[in-house]
Amino acid sequence: MRISEIGSPEHLPSHHDSSSQLLSQLECSIKQCELLSPEKPLPTNLSSDLRSTLSQLSSLVPFSNSIKLQIWKLSFRLWNACVDLSNAAGVRASRDKVGEEAVKLRQVSADMLLLAGNVDGVPSPALKSASFYYKTGLIWHELRRFDLAASCFEKATDLTAKLDAATISDPGERKLLLDLNIARSRTAWDVADRNLAITFLNRAKNLLSGSAEHYKALGNQYLVFGKSALSKIEGSSVKEALKLMNEALDLFEKGLSTARTRNGTEDLKVSRSKCLRFIAAVHLQGEEFESVLKCIRVLREGGGDRHPCLPVLAMKAWLGLGRYGEAEKELRSMVVNKGVPESIWVSAVEAYFDAAGTAGAETTKGLFLGLLDRCHVSAGAAVRIAFRVVGEGGSGDGARVRAKVAAELVSDERVVALFAGEAAAKDRTAMHAVLWNCAADHFRLKDYVTSAEIFEKSMLYVPYNIENRILRAKGFRVLCLCHLGLSQLDQAQEYINEAEKIEPNIACAFLKFKIYLQKNDHNAAIHQMQGMTTCIDFTPDFLSLSAHEAIACRAIPVAVASLTNLLDFSSGKAMPTTEVAVLRTLVTILTHDSGCEQEILKFMKRAHLRISELGPDCFFGKGEVGRRERNWFAVNAWNFGSNAGKEKNYEACAEFFRLASEFYSVVLDGEMEENSIMVCKSLTLAVSAMMAAEKQRQVPLLDAEVKQAIKLLEWAGKTLSSISSGTELDQDQATAIKPNLFFIYTFNAYDLHGRLNDLGSQQLQLVKTFASSKFCNPNHLLQIGLNASQGPQSNHEVATFALTECLSAFLSSPSPDYQNIALIARRLISVASIHRGETDDDAVYAMYKQAYRIMVGLKDGDYPTDEAKWLAVTAWNRAAMPVCLGQADAAKKWMNMGLEVASKVSGMDTYRSCMEDFVADFAKKHTQIDDAGESN
């Protein structure tokens, strides 16, 4: 609350100019404080400035009464400004968030009063100054700045130390003295100085002055300290807590004898009852059960206290004394008492059951069911009771008894009704989890009868809806397992059929397989095992598990049928079939699932590794069998590579094609199979996939990878060279090689050789070999030529050769492709211009001349118009430099070429007219120059 400013007489004139100046500085700073807003952070320099000014002012002591009065007024203004800030901030923030800067300003205000000292006309100046320090210390305490709080309280104590409490008549001032000692006690307690804290409380007893309110305040502080000591772990804390609470109880009883009002009496009675309850709790913690019962007897007889915790304390005390009958009476009295909150009696039931154990299970069930008839019980309470009854695992008869009682409890219609509706969904899930875990514990102990019963009760807490169908199916499957353990096969089959209707999956299929095995129906078991592969979540692990179950049941036919679909991952062990067959089966299974390319590749590589370890004859077998197995792996590696290429998985594609080449090249029976063509194809496509993967990753191949790819192509090149020469292969085998393959080989080899920074001779030789082969295609040559004419690895010799050969091929065709011919002519001119330049102008001119001759005799539109215009314009533009240099012959040559080409292009009439005029002017000009030269 805001403190009223003190009225003052007229100001006396200042005795010292310096004092007036410092007071003006103080007032200026205080005005700034009065203008502060809680919306903005407080300036950090205000308190330091005020304290600095105050320090200078202290050097001018003593002061006149007028100066003291000014200091008091300024102090109250500063204090009120801080109060306004706190009140405004309190609307938006709690007290513990008040900034330390504001508290520092309060302390400056208190220091100002201390500096001014006594002032004539101001009553009780010491107490007013002490109250400032007391209030500032409270705030420091709330901010957990106990050192600063203690300092403020000590200053306040020093100010009031010389006062005689007996002479103070004002109740507020007497209360201040008491509160000051209590505050010092709290601060000492919070810094763990308990002895000092108790000392301050004992001092406060001398300041009670017979007031019931004072007794209550001091007693409450003793009680707070007692509760704090009770919460500690140390054993000595219990005795200390009891001592403090007895002090509080004594103060409350003395306060009752001095109380004069009804409200005061009632408040003290409430505090006394609360204290007694805590004393009972302390005795309970110290296992002094008789003392607990005495406290409860006093509470019930003296004041008729009906607090909900009393039956709990009494019940625990009776349990501690081993008198379970009395404890049960207290528990039943709680059930009858409708005022006891649910959480209290649930906690009491848990405590009773923990102490009574299995013997109290039936009592707990009866109490809970009786409670259902008395009042509304929440589903959460039912979960807690069920959890306590079933316990936390265990074995033996006790666990079975608890499980049986829990089953009866949770299957009661009234209990099940508590979990109806969406509001109880969370508790319903919790109850299902409690029962499921209990059943699972008994299942692990092979107590299948109890496990089946609890699993069945847990199904009561699974709603019949789509969201919970998976959980219901899971429940039916575990019930099937329980009855399988009891050899009740018909019941097990009923449950698994229900589960399969809800959620057909591999687990259901496998459990049906187990049932057929235990029924010794081998044919049905084999059929079921074969049917498992059609399940959506099938994995090969279930085939291994099927084999294991079949062997355990001595169902040999079923075991053999399962093992034929398995790969023995440990080499050297006996197998019902060959390793190659198991590998082949595994690869076949994996092909039914998408995304298994890496797994297939891994087992393909293992097959190749086993070939090198065992030898082809031992791994594949001999004769026709071995050739079929070898061809199966080779063909499938080829197919996997093709599929991976279609899916743009080029890394896997390269690996598969390289493995295909290895399988096709395997030697069986000492002879090379006639698979050289497929080896060549596989190697060529493997390198193509490597280069495609490079583009896809956008990471260039390493030098080692480039050299490896070149070696693969060299291996393929031997077959291609024999095909082109026709020395080793007959005509049918030669026709099996498609022209595209030779082109792919040449194109890739050209690219890879270009990366090795050779002189280009190898590249030129590769292209010449391809051009001379019977598989050469002009379009392929065009692609090679275009690729060689551009890019960082361009080769003008290869480009010139390929484009020239391609041009000849196109021109010799019965129906020439003039679009490609024009493109070749343009590219040849560009290559020659770049790589020959001005040193071989005649060669470039010859190319223009050849292009012009091609155009002669063609119809309009046969030769691409844009390309023809390009030839005419570029030929004409080539005359620009000779014109500037006065090279008349060269200029005329290129201008005439431009005119000749332009004459064959429709749509260039205007350009041609301008060209002819320029040529005429140019000829006339140079004729005049020549005549002038001859006359001279």
Side-chain angles (χ1 to χ4, degrees):
M1 104 184 234
R2 185 179 178 91
I3 299 175
S4 301
E5 296 185 5
I6 301 174
S8 63
E10 295 180 359
H11 293 285
L12 296 178
S14 174
H15 296 290
H16 303 285
D17 294 338
S18 55
S19 299
S20 300
Q21 183 179 0
L22 292 173
L23 289 174
S24 298
Q25 291 179 8
L26 279 175
E27 184 174 10
C28 182
S29 298
I30 292 172
K31 285 181 178 179
Q32 294 182 33
C33 296
E34 290 173 336
L35 297 176
L36 293 175
S37 171
E39 301 292 341
K40 299 179 181 179
L42 299 182
T44 56
N45 62 330
L46 272 178
S47 62
S48 59
D49 291 347
L50 284 167
R51 193 165 294 282
S52 175
T53 306
L54 197 62
S55 176
Q56 296 177 42
L57 189 62
S58 64
S59 63
L60 303 178
V61 176
F63 303 121
S64 63
N65 192 67
S66 61
I67 292 178
K68 290 182 179 181
L69 192 57
Q70 280 186 275
I71 295 175
W72 271 69
K73 291 182 67 178
L74 291 174
S75 172
F76 272 71
R77 285 177 60 186
L78 178 58
W79 183 270
N80 289 335
C82 294
V83 171
D84 291 340
L85 280 173
S86 298
N87 291 339
V91 179
R92 293 172 290 273
S94 60
R95 186 70 175 272
D96 61 345
K97 294 182 180 178
V98 175
E100 290 189 7
E101 190 64 26
V103 191
K104 291 178 182 179
L105 293 175
R106 286 178 182 261
Q107 188 157 352
V108 171
S109 176
D111 291 339
M112 290 173 66
L113 291 185
L114 180 62
L115 177 64
N118 294 335
V119 183
D120 295 341
V122 177
S124 304
L127 284 174
K128 286 184 171 59
S129 181
S131 69
F132 273 32
Y133 278 114
Y134 166 70
K135 295 173 182 177
T136 305
L138 290 179
I139 302 176
W140 280 128
H141 188 95
E142 290 180 6
L143 295 175
R144 312 293 294 177
R145 296 295 301 272
F146 300 123
D147 55 338
L148 297 175
S151 176
C152 288
F153 294 146
E154 289 170 2
K155 290 180 180 180
T157 303
D158 290 340
L159 287 168
T160 60
K162 297 180 181 180
L163 299 177
D164 185 2
T167 62
I168 300 175
S169 59
D170 184 73
E173 294 177 352
R174 297 177 67 86
K175 185 68 165 52
L176 174 63
L177 298 178
L178 176 67
D179 290 343
L180 182 57
N181 281 276
I182 294 175
R184 294 188 70 187
S185 175
R186 278 200 303 268
T187 303
W189 185 275
D190 286 336
V191 296
D193 194 346
R194 296 191 176 184
N195 292 331
L196 184 60
I198 301 303
T199 300
F200 288 140
L201 288 184
N202 290 332
R203 288 183 188 177
K205 291 180 180 179
N206 300 324
L207 302 172
L208 294 174
S209 67
S211 170
E213 183 181 356
H214 291 185
Y215 280 108
K216 178 184 173 184
L218 186 58
N220 282 335
Q221 192 58 53
Y222 271 107
L223 183 59
V224 169
F225 286 169
K227 290 192 288 184
S228 176
L230 186 62
S231 65
K232 304 297 181 182
I233 301 176
E234 298 85 359
S236 60
S237 298
V238 177
K239 294 181 179 180
E240 184 180 4
L242 184 59
K243 182 179 179 181
L244 291 168
M245 290 180 181
N246 282 328
E247 289 281 357
L249 181 61
D250 182 61
L251 288 168
F252 291 141
E253 289 178 345
K254 289 180 179 179
L256 281 171
S257 64
T258 61
R260 298 292 181 267
T261 63
R262 169 180 266 180
N263 290 338
T265 302
E266 291 298 324
D267 289 345
L268 282 167
K269 285 182 178 180
V270 170
S271 298
R272 174 178 174 274
S273 297
K274 182 178 180 181
C275 187
L276 277 171
R277 289 196 296 271
F278 274 103
I279 291 174
V282 173
H283 286 306
L284 184 64
Q285 188 169 338
E287 298 184 354
E288 298 173 357
F289 304 117
E290 292 287 353
S291 298
V292 175
L293 294 173
K294 288 180 181 178
C295 291
I296 294 174
R297 195 175 300 115
V298 170
L299 284 168
R300 286 177 173 174
E301 293 175 358
D305 194 342
R306 294 292 181 267
H307 195 276
C309 74
L310 295 183
V312 179
L313 292 171
M315 182 200 69
K316 290 183 177 181
W318 290 121
L319 289 174
L321 294 172
R323 298 173 65 174
Y324 298 109
E326 299 293 335
E328 185 177 339
K329 288 180 181 178
E330 292 287 349
L331 193 59
R332 292 187 182 279
S333 69
M334 292 175 60
V335 174
V336 175
N337 185 359
K338 294 184 179 182
V340 179
E342 178 184 281
S343 59
I344 298 295
W345 60 254
V346 170
S347 176
V349 169
E350 291 175 337
Y352 174 80
F353 187 75
D354 287 342
T358 302
E362 283 289 346
T363 300
T364 301
K365 183 192 75 172
L367 288 172
F368 183 77
L369 294 178
L371 200 64
L372 292 174
D373 297 328
R374 179 180 66 83
C375 61
H376 173 73
V377 178
S378 68
V383 174
R384 289 178 62 180
I385 296 298
F387 177 75
R388 287 295 180 182
V389 172
V390 300
E392 298 180 0
S395 58
D397 294 336
R400 280 193 290 273
V401 170
R402 291 198 305 271
K404 182 179 180 181
V405 172
E408 294 173 356
L409 175 67
V410 301
S411 60
D412 189 280
E413 293 181 356
R414 294 168 294 176
V415 176
V416 176
L418 297 177
F419 295 85
E422 290 298 324
K426 186 176 180 179
D427 293 320
R428 186 167 55 242
T429 302
M431 177 64 86
H432 179 269
V434 168
L435 297 175
W436 184 278
N437 292 335
C438 174
D441 290 338
H442 287 280
F443 184 87
R444 281 189 286 270
L445 296 172
K446 297 185 178 181
D447 183 3
Y448 299 122
V449 174
T450 304
S451 178
E453 183 179 9
I454 301 298
F455 274 129
E456 189 171 356
K457 302 306 180 187
S458 72
M459 298 289 284
L460 296 171
Y461 297 91
V462 181
Y464 287 84
N465 53 31
I466 296 177
E467 292 79 7
N468 290 279
R469 63 183 181 83
I470 295 177
L471 197 59
R472 291 190 63 77
K474 187 177 179 181
F476 283 127
R477 289 197 295 270
V478 296
L479 283 168
C480 170
L481 286 172
C482 292
H483 288 286
L484 272 174
L486 296 170
S487 297
Q488 298 173 352
L489 303 181
D490 291 336
Q491 292 92 325
Q493 190 160 12
E494 290 177 5
Y495 279 120
I496 201 60
N497 287 338
E498 290 298 321
E500 195 172 35
K501 291 177 183 177
I502 299 173
E503 185 191 16
N505 58 15
I506 188 64
C508 295
F510 181 74
L511 288 174
K512 291 180 74 174
F513 169 78
K514 283 174 64 71
I515 293 171
Y516 290 135
L517 279 180
Q518 293 194 18
K519 285 184 175 181
N520 292 322
D521 191 347
H522 293 174
N523 291 331
I526 292 173
H527 179 74
Q528 183 65 27
M529 182 270 297
Q530 293 172 344
M532 283 193 293
T533 60
T534 62
C535 293
I536 190 171
D537 52 348
F538 165 77
T539 62
D541 294 336
F542 281 95
L543 289 176
S544 178
L545 192 58
S546 299
H548 175 76
E549 292 291 336
I551 293 172
C553 294
R554 296 183 180 181
I556 303 302
V558 180
V560 171
S562 300
L563 290 172
T564 54
N565 296 290
L566 292 175
L567 171 66
D568 185 8
F569 293 97
S570 299
S571 61
K573 291 185 179 180
M575 297 173 60
T577 185
T578 61
E579 185 175 358
V580 65
V582 177
L583 276 167
R584 171 169 43 80
T585 302
L586 177 60
V587 172
T588 302
I589 292 172
L590 290 172
T591 56
H592 294 294
D593 290 335
S594 60
C596 297
E597 291 82 6
Q598 293 302 320
E599 288 293 315
I600 295 170
L601 184 61
K602 179 176 72 175
F603 290 109
M604 285 275 191
K605 287 182 176 179
R606 174 169 180 174
H608 180 254
L609 178 63
R610 297 295 287 167
I611 293 170
S612 61
E613 292 175 350
L614 302 176
D617 293 338
C618 292
F619 182 76
F620 284 123
K622 297 182 180 180
E624 183 63 24
V625 174
R627 282 191 289 274
R628 284 201 303 268
E629 293 287 0
R630 189 268 319 275
N631 291 338
W632 188 92
F633 277 91
V635 170
N636 279 277
W638 173 277
N639 292 337
F640 291 140
S642 300
N643 292 333
K646 292 176 182 177
E647 295 172 1
K648 297 184 179 181
N649 187 359
Y650 297 119
E651 293 183 2
C653 176
E655 293 288 343
F656 278 122
F657 277 126
R658 187 158 54 183
L659 282 172
S661 67
E662 297 287 348
F663 287 127
Y664 277 123
S665 62
V666 168
V667 176
L668 291 173
D669 296 334
E671 295 181 359
M672 173 67 81
E673 283 291 332
E674 297 177 345
N675 287 323
S676 56
I677 295 175
M678 293 305 299
V679 171
C680 176
K681 288 182 177 181
S682 301
L683 291 169
T684 304
L685 293 177
V687 174
S688 297
M690 290 173 66
M691 299 180 71
E694 176 191 38
K695 293 182 180 179
Q696 188 180 58
R697 297 193 311 264
Q698 295 183 352
V699 177
L701 293 174
L702 301 176
D703 290 342
E705 294 174 327
V706 172
K707 292 177 181 178
Q708 182 187 22
I710 290 176
K711 287 182 180 179
L712 295 178
L713 288 178
E714 288 175 354
W715 185 8
K718 295 178 182 178
T719 302
L720 290 175
S721 61
S722 63
I723 293 173
S724 61
S725 61
T727 56
E728 297 182 7
L729 303 177
D730 58 26
Q731 186 63 29
D732 292 337
Q733 292 172 328
T735 55
I737 297 290
K738 295 182 179 180
N740 288 344
L741 184 67
F742 208 160
F743 164 69
I744 293 171
Y745 162 80
T746 304
F747 192 85
N748 290 338
Y750 169 83
D751 188 311
L752 292 170
H753 278 288
R755 303 185 188 197
L756 296 180
N757 298 322
D758 59 12
L759 299 177
S761 57
Q762 184 68 28
Q763 291 177 304
L764 182 60
Q765 185 60 40
L766 283 168
V767 177
K768 285 183 177 180
T769 302
F770 174 72
S772 61
S773 69
K774 55 187 175 183
F775 301 112
C776 181
N777 184 302
N779 290 317
H780 291 161
L781 272 178
L782 175 60
Q783 190 169 350
I784 292 173
L786 293 175
N787 186 67
S789 66
Q790 58 191 4
Q793 298 177 2
S794 60
N795 188 324
H796 71 279
E797 293 182 358
V798 173
T800 302
F801 172 78
L803 291 173
T804 302
E805 290 292 323
C806 179
L807 182 60
S808 300
F810 278 126
L811 290 174
S812 61
S813 173
S815 54
D817 186 354
Y818 289 105
Q819 185 69 40
N820 284 334
I821 290 172
L823 175 62
I824 294 168
R826 183 172 185 167
R827 189 54 61 92
L828 281 171
I829 291 171
S830 299
V831 171
S833 299
I834 293 171
H835 293 282
R836 297 186 181 184
E838 300 300 332
T839 60
D840 199 355
D841 188 68
D842 292 336
V844 178
Y845 182 82
M847 293 177 189
Y848 275 92
K849 196 69 175 177
Q850 184 181 16
Y852 170 73
R853 289 171 181 167
I854 293 171
M855 295 170 63
V856 174
L858 296 180
K859 298 178 182 179
D860 288 342
D862 286 349
Y863 197 96
T865 303
D866 291 339
E867 294 294 330
K869 288 181 179 180
W870 181 86
L871 287 170
V873 171
T874 54
W876 179 266
N877 290 341
R878 285 181 179 273
M881 185 60 70
V883 169
C884 294
L885 297 177
Q887 298 174 356
D889 294 335
K892 290 179 181 179
K893 178 177 70 173
W894 285 110
M895 285 191 290
N896 289 333
M897 175 54 68
L899 275 170
E900 289 175 356
V901 175
S903 65
K904 302 298 180 183
V905 182
S906 60
M908 290 193 69
D909 297 335
T910 304
Y911 290 95
R912 189 167 61 250
S913 176
C914 294
M915 290 177 181
E916 289 172 351
D917 293 340
F918 185 87
V919 169
D921 292 340
F922 182 82
K924 182 178 179 181
K925 179 179 179 181
H926 278 274
T927 300
Q928 293 174 355
I929 293 173
D930 292 339
D931 292 340
E934 290 176 0
S935 63
N936 292 333

